Amino acid sequence: MLSFQEQIISDLLEDVNGGLVVLSSGLPVSPILVSLIPLLPSHLTPLLLSVPDSLLPSLSVLSPLSISFDLPSHQRTSLYTSGRPLILSPRILIADLLTSRCLPSSISALFLFNAHRLSDTSTESFIARLLRLSSPHNHLIPIFAFSDSAHGMVSGFAKAERLMKCLYVRRLHLWPRFHVLVSSDLETDPPEVVDIRVPMSPAMKGIQVAVLEAMDACLKELRRTNKVDVEDLTVEKGLFKSFDEIVRRQLDPIWHTLGKKTKQLVSDLRTLRKLLDYLIRYDAVTYLKYLDTLRVSEGVRSMWIFANSSHKIFELAKRRVYQVVRADGSKVGLDNKATPTKKRRVTSDNKKGKEIDNEASSSNKEIGGIVLEEVLEEAPKWKVLRELLEEIEEERSKGTKVTEQIMSGEDADSTDIVLVTCKDERSCLQLEDCILKGPQQAMRGEWEKYLLGKIELQSVFKRSKTKPKEPKGFGVIDGGIVTTKGPSESSEPNTISILENKALLAAASKISKSTIREVETEIEATESSKPKKGRGKGKSKKNSVPDCNAQSSGVQIEEPQGQSHDLSTGASASSVVQIEEKSHSQSHKSTSGGLSNTKPLPPVQFYALDRDRRILQEWKPSVVIVYHPDMTFVREIEIYKSENPNRKLKVYFLFYEDSTEGQKFEASIRRENSAFESLIRQKSLMMIPVDQNGRCLGPATQSTEPDSALSNSMTRKAGGRKPLEKEMQVIVDMREFMSSLPNVLHLKGMKVIPVTLEVGDYILSPLICVERKSIGDLYQSFASGRLFHQVETMVRYYKIPVLLIEFSQDKSFSFQSASEIGDDVSPTNIISKLSLLVMHFPRLRLVWSRSLHATADIFLSLKSNQDEPDENKAMRVGVPSEDGVIENDVRAENYNTSAIEFLRRLPGVTDSNYRALMDCCNNLAELALLPVEKLAELMGSQKAARTLKEFLDAKCPTML
C-alpha cells in the first residue's frame, strides 16, 4: 500500500460520521477498502452498496457475501448479523430496513461507490436517513462514500455540500493527482515513457478540419438562440460526452418552446463529436460505412450535412477508400459535374452493366467510362504499431533485457507480454487482424464487406420499392446521391453518382461470385475427403486463411457479421487475444499478401478499455503500448509501477500529431484539475450542521420540523397542548423503490410500507389506488398494452383508480408545444391515447405532477379525510386462491367482468343505469326476456329502454 492510501484510511477513521472521498480518476479504491474493513468492529456487519464489477476481484480476499432478492427473507435476516461483508443493492437494503429485517444496531459501516451519481432523492440518501434516525445514540454508523469523478461532483449548484448533508457526513477528502503525497508516491520511480507522434494522412487532416468547421458553425447558430450559456459553448468542451449533458440540462426546462432548428443543432453536435472520435479510432472503410448510414438516417433533418464543409467530409472519406476517375485518366474533382452530353452518352452505355462487370480487372472496375480505383488507405498508426513490436522483439532477442532482469533481481513472476490497449473491442479485433494478416489484407476484408453490404442494400431496396416517389432532401437511393432541387430543376441523381454506384455494384457482384465459388469448392473438397483421414485436415489447414477471408466477406455466411455486431455492443467475450511468436510467424507468412522480410513479433495481449478491469496486476506486462490514450489508464500504469518498483516497465504512447486525440487527452487532464480546484474552494466555504455530540444533522424531515406559528395559535386551547396527529402511511410496491418517490414521501413525514402489490403502485387509502407512470414508462406502457390491463384491474378493485403522470423537475411540464397539438384523434399521438383511455374507463382519474416533490404534496392532499390503508388487505387484492376465487375483494363480490363489459356496450346502457340492470338480472339471457316497461323502470328512460329492446329483438341476418 502506498503512503497516500494509508493517509486516506487514517483520515476516514478520525471522524465517526465517515466521510466523502473524491479521488483522481484512475487511483484505485480497492486497496483502501481491503485495509479499512478489517479495522471495523468484527462482530458487526459492513454493507457495500452497488459495488462496481471492477472492484469485485480485489475484494475476494475479504470473502464477501452477495445478497439478492432470490434469497429468502429469513436467510437475509441471519446474514445481517453474521459479521461478514455483504454486497447488495440499495433496493434490497431499503426494503429490509423498512420491514426491520435489517437492524441498524448490527451494521458496522455503510460503503457507497460512484458518489457523483447520487442526489438528495436517491435511494442511498434514503438509506442514510433511516440508519441515522433509527440507530441508537450510542451506536453511530459511519458512511464512507467514494467517487473518482471530480467533474461529476461540481455539476450543479453546491452538489458536494448537498450530497454530504443527505449522507450525514461532515468531512470532504480530496485527493487529486497534484496532491503532494500522491505526486511523491507516483513520481519516485516512474516508468520509462516514449511519446510517439504519428502524422495523419492529408485526407484525415482535411476531414478533421471540415468536421471542426461544421461543429463551430453549429455552435455559432446555437449561440444566436440566446437559450444557452455562451461560456459552455466551445469546441474544446464539445469533444466530451458531458457536453451533451450540459446543453440538455440548460435546454430541458424550455425544450417544448424550442424550434426544430435548435433541437436539431443539439443532435448535430453529438453526431459531429462521434465523427471526430471515429476518424482516429476506426479504419477508412468503416468510417465511410458510418458516413453512408448518416447520409440515409439524417439526410433531410440534419443541418450540418448541408454545410459547405460536409461535402468535403464525404468526398475525402470516399477518397481514402476509392477514387472515381474517367476512362481517359482525368480525375473527378470535388466540384466537377457531368455535362448533359456526357449524361446522355454514358447512360446509353450503361445498358451493358453486367457485361462490363465480367471484364473488370481486379484492381480497377470500369463501367460506362468511369473507372473505380481502389485506394484502401491504411491507418497511419498500424505501420507504427508493427514497427514498435518488431523493435521490441529485436531488443529482446539480443539478450539485453534478460541481463537487466538478472542484475536488478526482478520478480520471477514478471512476463514478457506486450500489452496493447484500445478504446473498444472492435479496435482490438481489427488490430489483431492487421498484425496477423497484414494491413493490406485487413483492409481488403473490410472493403469486401462494404461492397457486399451494397448488394444487400440494393436487393432490399428493390423488394421494398412499390411505386416511384418524389425524393425529398438528401440521401442515398439505390446507392446514388439525391439532392433536393427546385421545381424547375431535375430531381434525378447526377450522372457521376449513378456511374459510381454502378461501378461499386459491379465490383461487389464480382466479389460475391468469387466468394460463392470458393465456398462451393471448399464444400466439395470436404465432401470428397474420407472420414478415416479426419475429413481432410491437411487441405483445410492449407486453405484455412483464404477460407476465413471468404467467410468474412461471403453473403451466405453470416457468423462474422454477428461477431462484428457483438463487438460494437461490447457483448463479445473474446476481447483479449494473445499472439504467440511461432504461430504468428507461420500465419503471417501465409496471410501477409506476399510481404517479404517479415520479422518475428513478441507475445501480444489486446485489451479494450471499456471493459473496466484491473489487468496490469493480472498480466504483469513489461511493455505497454497505449494505442488510444486515456487519462484513467495512465493513472493505473503509474499506480502499478509505484506498487512494483523493481519491475521494469516501458510505456509507448501513440498520438496523432495535430489531432483532436491529443487535444482531448490534454483537455481531460485540465478539466479534472479545474474540477478539483473548484472543490477545494467549495470545501473552504462549506457549512455542515452538527449537534453538540458531533453528529451530522443532515436535512430534516417535515415531521421533525417545528411549527411555531401553529403552536402560538393553539395557546388558548388546553394551554397550548398540541393534539396528537395520526401518522400517515402509504403502501408502496417493491418495484417502485427503483424510483425516488418513496424517499420523498418519507422525507415529507409519511410512513412507507413496502409490500408486493398485484394491483397498483401506491395504496393511499382503502378507496384510492395509484398507478405511477414516468413519461418514458407511459409511452412504453401504451405501446405494449400493459397500461390498459393495469387500469382495468384498478377499476375492478378500487373505487377511485388514479393514473399519476409524473414529469421530471428539470424538464418541460408538457408532452408537446401547443402548436403541435392537432384537432383530430391520431393513433400515434399520446394525447389521443390518453383521451381514448379515459373514455373507455370513465372512473379513471388523471393526476399530473410536475416533479417528485409535487407528487408527495398531491398524495398528502389526496389522503386528507381518508382512512389509512390496510397492509394485509392490499396484498391480497387481485391474488386468486387455490380455487381461483379472489378472496377479500375490496368490492365484496366477484362479477363476470366480460359480461359486464358486454352489457355496458349495449345501446341505451350508460354508466348511470347498468348497475340497476345487473341487480335485476342474473345473466344476459334474463335481460333479453324483460319487457319494455320493466326496462324503462330500471333504465329511467323510455327511449333508452326501447333502443335496447329493439337491439335485443332484432333478427340476426343470415347468408343463404
Side-chain angles (χ1 to χ4, degrees):
M1 179 180 291
L2 302 177
S3 59
F4 80 90
Q5 295 171 342
E6 296 176 354
Q7 185 63 39
I8 292 176
I9 295 175
S10 63
D11 292 345
L12 289 175
L13 293 177
E14 285 181 0
D15 192 354
V16 293
N17 294 281
L20 173 60
V21 181
V22 182
L23 296 165
S24 182
S25 179
L27 300 184
V29 181
S30 53
I32 302 172
L33 295 176
V34 172
S35 302
L36 178 60
I37 291 178
L39 300 178
L40 300 174
S42 59
H43 63 283
L44 300 178
T45 303
L47 302 181
L48 294 84
L49 297 187
S50 303
V51 180
D53 294 337
S54 58
L55 291 180
L56 292 177
S58 56
L59 293 179
S60 59
V61 296
L62 299 174
S63 302
L65 297 176
S66 297
I67 295 182
S68 63
F69 270 116
D70 299 334
L71 202 63
S73 58
H74 66 277
Q75 293 187 17
R76 296 206 303 266
T77 304
S78 61
L79 287 177
Y80 287 127
T81 58
S82 63
R84 297 180 59 180
L86 299 182
I87 298 175
L88 68 168
S89 66
R91 183 181 162 200
I92 296 176
L93 181 57
I94 191 62
D96 290 342
L97 285 173
L98 290 172
T99 54
S100 300
R101 296 191 188 100
C102 176
L103 299 177
S105 59
S106 63
I107 300 175
S108 62
L110 181 67
F111 292 88
L112 305 176
F113 304 94
N114 295 322
H116 54 277
R117 299 178 182 174
L118 306 182
S119 64
D120 51 357
T121 59
S122 60
T123 307
E124 287 82 356
S125 63
F126 191 6
I127 293 171
R129 188 186 319 119
L130 285 179
L131 292 178
R132 185 54 54 92
L133 296 179
S134 58
S135 60
H137 291 281
N138 58 353
H139 177 64
L140 190 60
I141 301 174
I143 298 176
F144 303 108
F146 298 90
S147 173
D148 60 352
S149 175
H151 184 262
M153 295 298 297
V154 296
S155 59
F157 176 74
K159 181 175 181 178
E161 183 175 352
R162 290 187 287 110
L163 182 61
M164 292 171 65
K165 288 180 179 179
C166 68
L167 294 180
Y168 293 86
V169 297
R170 55 179 298 189
R171 288 196 178 183
L172 176 63
H173 307 280
L174 303 176
W175 290 90
R177 173 61 178 84
F178 56 81
H179 195 283
V180 177
L181 291 178
V182 178
S183 300
S184 62
D185 284 341
L186 301 186
E187 296 174 5
T188 302
D189 190 10
E192 182 182 354
V193 178
V194 179
D195 192 353
I196 300 176
R197 301 285 173 164
V198 182
M200 292 193 299
S201 64
M204 293 178 67
K205 290 182 179 178
I207 294 174
Q208 177 177 274
V209 171
V211 173
L212 290 176
E213 289 177 358
M215 184 179 289
D216 188 50
C218 290
L219 289 174
K220 288 180 180 178
E221 289 293 327
L222 200 58
R223 291 191 194 102
R224 294 176 183 173
T225 61
N226 297 325
K227 305 287 186 180
V228 190
D229 188 4
V230 180
E231 295 181 358
D232 294 331
L233 298 183
T234 61
V235 176
E236 181 176 300
K237 291 186 178 180
L239 301 177
F240 299 95
K241 288 183 179 180
S242 59
F243 179 78
D244 303 332
E245 301 175 4
I246 294 173
V247 176
R248 283 304 300 263
R249 193 186 303 118
Q250 297 185 35
L251 294 179
D252 274 341
I254 55 172
W255 189 256
H256 64 291
T257 64
L258 299 177
K260 293 183 179 180
K261 178 181 177 181
T262 306
K263 295 179 180 178
Q264 188 58 45
L265 284 172
V266 177
S267 177
D268 288 348
L269 287 172
R270 187 185 307 113
T271 303
L272 291 171
R273 191 192 67 246
K274 288 183 180 179
L275 284 178
L276 278 178
D277 188 23
Y278 293 170
L279 175 65
I280 57 181
R281 189 188 299 188
Y282 298 129
D283 61 278
V285 179
T286 305
Y287 193 74
L288 179 61
K289 192 185 301 181
Y290 178 68
L291 282 175
D292 287 344
T293 60
L294 287 181
R295 179 182 285 166
V296 176
S297 62
E298 301 187 7
V300 179
R301 303 188 308 270
S302 295
M303 300 182 63
W304 71 270
I305 213 167
F306 294 105
N308 296 330
S309 56
S310 66
H311 180 63
K312 190 176 181 181
I313 296 173
F314 284 95
E315 193 66 28
L316 290 176
K318 193 188 305 178
R319 283 189 177 184
R320 296 180 66 198
V321 181
Y322 63 89
Q323 280 189 345
V324 179
V325 297
R326 295 187 177 90
D328 57 0
S330 60
K331 294 184 178 181
V332 180
L334 290 174
D335 300 326
N336 285 0
K337 296 181 180 179
T339 59
T341 55
K342 287 187 178 181
K343 180 187 293 185
R344 288 193 293 269
R345 180 180 63 81
V346 175
T347 50
S348 62
D349 294 340
N350 278 339
K351 297 178 181 180
K352 303 178 182 179
K354 291 187 177 180
E355 298 177 2
I356 297 176
D357 170 36
N358 296 330
E359 299 174 359
S361 62
S362 60
S363 59
N364 297 336
K365 279 61 178 183
E366 181 178 348
I367 182 168
I370 293 294
V371 178
L372 191 67
E373 202 173 73
E374 295 179 2
V375 178
L376 302 182
E377 177 184 289
E378 305 170 9
K381 280 188 179 182
W382 288 4
K383 181 181 178 181
V384 177
L385 176 62
R386 181 167 188 86
E387 291 176 353
L388 274 179
L389 294 175
E390 292 175 353
E391 179 184 345
I392 292 169
E393 182 61 23
E394 185 178 354
E395 289 181 0
R396 289 178 176 173
S397 62
K398 294 178 181 179
T400 55
K401 292 292 180 181
V402 177
T403 305
E404 291 178 2
Q405 291 175 6
I406 296 175
M407 295 294 294
S408 60
E410 193 171 351
D411 293 344
D413 58 347
S414 61
T415 62
D416 290 337
I417 290 176
V418 176
L419 179 63
V420 180
T421 61
C422 307
K423 281 282 187 184
D424 53 9
E425 298 182 2
R426 181 185 178 91
S427 301
C428 291
L429 187 68
Q430 192 171 57
L431 285 181
E432 177 218 354
D433 204 31
C434 174
I435 293 176
L436 285 176
K437 301 178 180 179
Q440 289 291 340
Q441 194 70 17
M443 290 297 297
R444 171 65 56 182
E446 294 292 336
W447 170 243
E448 291 177 357
K449 292 178 187 177
Y450 175 77
L451 292 177
L452 292 173
K454 288 281 185 182
I455 291 184
E456 293 179 3
L457 287 176
Q458 176 81 357
S459 61
V460 169
F461 174 77
K462 287 182 178 180
R463 287 196 300 267
S464 61
K465 188 176 181 181
T466 55
K467 59 181 181 178
K469 294 183 179 180
E470 288 261 340
K472 297 180 180 180
F474 182 82
V476 172
I477 298 181
D478 196 15
I481 303 175
V482 182
T483 56
T484 301
K485 299 186 178 182
S488 62
E489 296 178 347
S490 173
S491 60
E492 297 180 356
N494 61 69
T495 309
I496 298 298
S497 300
I498 293 177
L499 296 177
E500 177 183 333
N501 178 61
K502 289 182 182 268
L504 287 171
L505 292 177
S509 177
K510 183 173 182 180
I511 292 176
S512 178
K513 291 176 182 177
S514 63
T515 302
I516 295 174
R517 238 181 274 118
E518 290 178 5
V519 173
E520 290 176 351
T521 304
E522 178 65 21
I523 294 175
E524 292 175 359
T526 305
E527 292 177 352
S528 61
S529 60
K530 297 181 180 179
K532 294 181 180 179
K533 297 184 179 180
R535 300 184 186 179
K537 284 186 177 179
K539 181 167 289 189
S540 64
K541 183 177 181 180
K542 180 179 179 181
N543 297 329
S544 61
V545 174
D547 291 343
C548 291
N549 294 336
Q551 288 180 6
S552 65
S553 59
V555 179
Q556 300 176 351
I557 302 174
E558 299 182 354
E559 182 179 357
Q561 295 179 4
Q563 290 178 357
S564 176
H565 177 72
D566 290 343
L567 287 172
S568 62
T569 57
S572 175
S574 59
S575 64
V576 180
V577 183
Q578 184 168 359
I579 304 173
E580 297 294 343
E581 182 177 349
K582 293 183 180 179
S583 62
H584 164 71
S585 60
Q586 293 174 0
S587 62
H588 185 69
K589 288 178 182 178
S590 60
T591 61
S592 59
L595 292 176
S596 59
N597 299 326
T598 57
K599 299 180 181 179
L601 300 180
V604 181
Q605 289 276 11
F606 291 96
Y607 174 69
L609 295 174
D610 56 5
R611 297 199 65 180
D612 194 19
R613 281 177 49 202
R614 305 287 178 177
I615 42 87
L616 293 175
Q617 289 289 356
E618 179 181 346
W619 290 339
K620 301 178 178 61
S622 58
V623 177
V624 178
I625 299 177
V626 185
Y627 191 83
H628 292 139
D630 181 75
M631 180 185 67
T632 302
F633 187 69
V634 170
R635 304 280 168 73
E636 294 179 11
I637 294 175
E638 291 180 318
I639 292 291
Y640 169 74
K641 186 62 175 71
S642 300
E643 293 176 345
N644 304 276
N646 294 328
R647 291 178 185 165
K648 296 295 181 180
L649 181 63
K650 193 171 185 178
V651 183
Y652 294 91
F653 286 95
L654 298 184
F655 285 96
Y656 278 118
E657 191 175 6
D658 299 328
S659 69
T660 56
E661 183 181 34
Q663 182 182 357
K664 184 177 179 180
F665 178 75
E666 295 169 358
S668 63
I669 298 176
R670 289 196 301 269
R671 187 177 66 159
E672 186 186 70
N673 293 340
S674 175
F676 270 111
E677 292 171 0
S678 176
L679 286 174
I680 292 171
R681 289 192 297 269
Q682 292 182 28
K683 183 179 179 180
S684 63
L685 302 175
M686 279 183 184
M687 296 184 65
I688 307 297
V690 295
D691 61 8
Q692 58 185 359
N693 297 322
R695 295 163 59 103
C696 185
L697 296 179
T701 61
Q702 182 169 312
S703 59
T704 61
E705 291 178 357
D707 195 348
S708 57
L710 179 62
S711 60
N712 290 335
S713 64
M714 299 289 292
T715 54
R716 295 179 60 86
K717 297 180 181 180
R721 185 180 64 185
K722 189 174 181 180
L724 296 176
E725 294 183 1
K726 189 176 180 181
E727 184 181 22
M728 288 188 176
Q729 62 184 23
V730 179
I731 299 176
V732 183
D733 185 34
M734 291 291 298
R735 293 175 288 269
E736 278 298 303
F737 281 93
M738 291 186 290
S739 69
S740 300
L741 184 55
N743 181 14
V744 179
L745 293 177
H746 184 269
L747 194 61
K748 292 288 184 178
M750 298 186 194
K751 181 181 179 181
V752 178
I753 304 174
V755 297
T756 301
L757 297 176
E758 289 294 329
V759 180
D761 293 331
Y762 297 86
I763 308 299
L764 304 185
S765 73
L767 303 178
I768 303 177
C769 175
V770 179
E771 181 71 29
R772 174 186 167 273
K773 294 292 180 186
S774 62
I775 302 303
D777 192 18
L778 181 67
Y779 280 92
Q780 294 177 4
S781 300
F782 269 123
S784 63
R786 188 174 74 252
L787 182 59
F788 183 88
H789 174 70
Q790 292 171 337
V791 174
E792 186 180 27
T793 54
M794 285 197 303
V795 171
R796 178 179 178 183
Y797 295 110
Y798 289 93
K799 186 176 181 180
I800 308 176
V802 177
L803 175 61
L804 171 67
I805 302 175
E806 187 177 87
F807 289 77
S808 179
Q809 185 172 2
D810 55 352
K811 294 186 179 181
S812 60
F813 188 40
S814 63
F815 284 116
Q816 53 194 12
S817 59
S819 59
E820 296 175 354
I821 300 177
D823 298 331
D824 299 331
V825 175
S826 172
T828 59
N829 193 332
I830 188 66
I831 302 297
S832 300
K833 292 180 180 180
L834 285 172
S835 303
L836 294 175
L837 184 68
V838 174
M839 291 174 62
H840 190 81
F841 300 103
R843 287 198 295 117
L844 179 65
R845 304 292 187 262
L846 291 184
V847 174
W848 305 82
S849 175
R850 190 181 190 90
S851 63
L852 292 170
H853 296 277
T855 301
D857 294 335
I858 292 172
F859 280 9
L860 286 172
S861 61
L862 289 177
K863 283 182 65 63
S864 60
N865 302 323
Q866 293 282 340
D867 295 332
E868 295 300 328
D870 187 358
E871 176 184 353
N872 296 325
K873 202 172 186 180
M875 291 176 62
R876 289 195 298 267
V877 170
V879 181
S881 64
E882 296 179 357
D883 301 331
V885 179
I886 300 177
E887 299 178 356
N888 298 316
D889 196 333
V890 174
R891 300 188 308 171
E893 67 252 1
N894 293 289
Y895 289 124
N896 186 347
T897 55
S898 300
I900 295 174
E901 293 296 328
F902 181 81
L903 172 65
R904 295 180 62 183
R905 283 164 174 75
L906 293 177
V909 180
T910 62
D911 291 335
S912 60
N913 58 28
Y914 81 95
R915 292 183 180 86
L917 294 174
M918 290 171 56
D919 294 337
C920 180
C921 305
N922 294 323
N923 50 49
L924 293 173
E926 292 184 8
L927 176 67
L929 299 176
L930 290 179
V932 178
E933 294 78 8
K934 185 64 174 176
L935 288 176
E937 179 184 349
L938 294 174
M939 301 177 70
S941 171
Q942 188 73 26
K943 181 180 179 181
R946 194 181 308 112
T947 302
L948 177 60
K949 189 62 177 176
E950 291 176 357
F951 175 80
L952 294 175
D953 294 344
K955 291 184 178 181
C956 182
T958 59
M959 298 181 64
L960 299 178

